[in-house]
Amino acid sequence: MNAQTGAAATGRHGVAAQAQPNIALIKYWGKRDTALNLPVVGSISITLDALWTRTRVGFA
């Protein structure tokens, strides 16, 4: 597999993506000021670095 494109050695083309889950502890609930893009309340979240999922898509 090509690390840059995710393509297998069979002449196929593709791409791979990996992502970690992000858990919201305090959730975003809308906008206080749409012109300034300010939230009603702030949000706090954590990302779980040790857990991940990888998706590969290939095409010929």
Side-chain angles (χ1 to χ4, degrees):
M1 173 159 341
N2 181 319
Q4 291 181 336
T5 64
T10 61
R12 302 178 89 196
H13 300 281
V15 65
Q18 180 174 315
Q20 291 79 14
N22 184 277
I23 309 297
L25 303 174
I26 298 176
K27 191 145 172 99
Y28 166 80
W29 287 104
K31 295 191 181 202
R32 157 173 50 127
D33 185 330
T34 55
L36 295 175
N37 200 25
L38 298 174
V40 172
V41 294
S43 61
I44 297 175
S45 65
I46 59 171
T47 299
L48 305 176
D49 290 335
L51 302 175
W52 52 271
T53 184
R54 181 177 295 140
T55 302
R56 290 188 188 123
V57 177
F59 54 94

